[in-house]
Amino acid sequence: LRFFAYYPWTDQNRSDKAITVTQAAAAEKVSIGYKMSGDPSKHIDLMHWMGPRNTTENTVNVELGHSLARLKFQARMQLYSPGTRIEVTNIEIGQAVSEGTLNISPSGDRINAVWNLNSTSKTSLAMTQANVMSSGRYLTGEYGSVLESDESDMLVIPQNVVGMDLKVTAVLD
C-alpha cells in the first residue's frame, strides 16, 4: 500500500480542469497533468506527496512539496537621476511552455518527480496591474533601489528559459 496526495484537489469529472490525475497502480506511478493560464494570477500552487510503501506506522505524515517553479522579479534603475521614481506596470514572458505532466514514482527510498513538457503548447504570461500587480503590489521604487515584491512572483512549470522573450513596461516619474 502506498499513499499519494496532491493539492489543490480537482474534480476529475470536469471538462475544464487545469489539473488531471492518472494513476498506474501496478507501477506505483502517478501522473499529474497541468495546464497554465496566460494570467499568472490564476496559476495554482500545485503540490504533491508520495508516502512510503508498506509502512507499519498507524499514522502517515504528509509533507507536500511544491511542484512548480517560482519566478521572482527584481529591477534596479540606474540610468536616471536620483529622485526619479519607477513603476513597473507589466512583465511579460513570451513563448513559455504552458502544459506538462509531472510523473511521480518511487525509486528505492526516494521519490522521483519529473516533468515532461508539451513543447508545442506555448503561451505568453503577463503580470499587469490589472491582475497580480494590482492594489499597490507592483514593483515601484526610486533611483538606485532594488525593486522587488513577493506579491508579483509567477508560478510556472519548470522549464528552460532559453528562447523565451521577456518584456518589461515601466513608467518613470
Side-chain angles (χ1 to χ4, degrees), residues 15-92:
S15 61
D16 63 342
K17 58 190 172 286
I19 299 172
T20 56
V21 179
T22 55
Q23 183 172 6
E28 294 186 328
K29 178 180 170 183
V30 176
S31 297
I32 302 174
Y34 185 77
K35 186 184 298 186
M36 288 191 313
S37 153
D39 179 351
S41 69
K42 293 186 167 86
H43 293 181
I44 301 165
D45 190 7
L46 179 63
M47 301 176 80
H48 72 276
W49 172 84
M50 183 177 275
R53 191 176 205 293
N54 297 330
T55 181
T56 58
E57 302 295 321
N58 291 331
T59 60
V60 177
N61 291 327
V62 176
E63 295 181 22
L64 295 169
H66 295 277
S67 305
L68 300 176
R70 178 181 175 196
L71 297 182
K72 183 175 184 75
F73 294 94
Q74 293 181 333
R76 183 186 307 262
M77 181 177 65
Q78 294 180 320
L79 298 176
Y80 297 93
S81 61
T84 304
R85 292 190 52 77
I86 185 172
E87 177 180 300
V88 176
T89 57
N90 184 62
I91 298 173
E92 184 175 342

Side-chain angles (χ1 to χ4, degrees), residues 120-141:
T120 61
S121 176
K122 302 221 175 178
T123 191
S124 290
L125 306 172
M127 290 193 319
T128 67
Q129 290 178 337
N131 57 34
V132 292
M133 295 196 296
S134 61
S135 305
R137 298 184 302 177
Y138 45 86
L139 304 176
T140 185

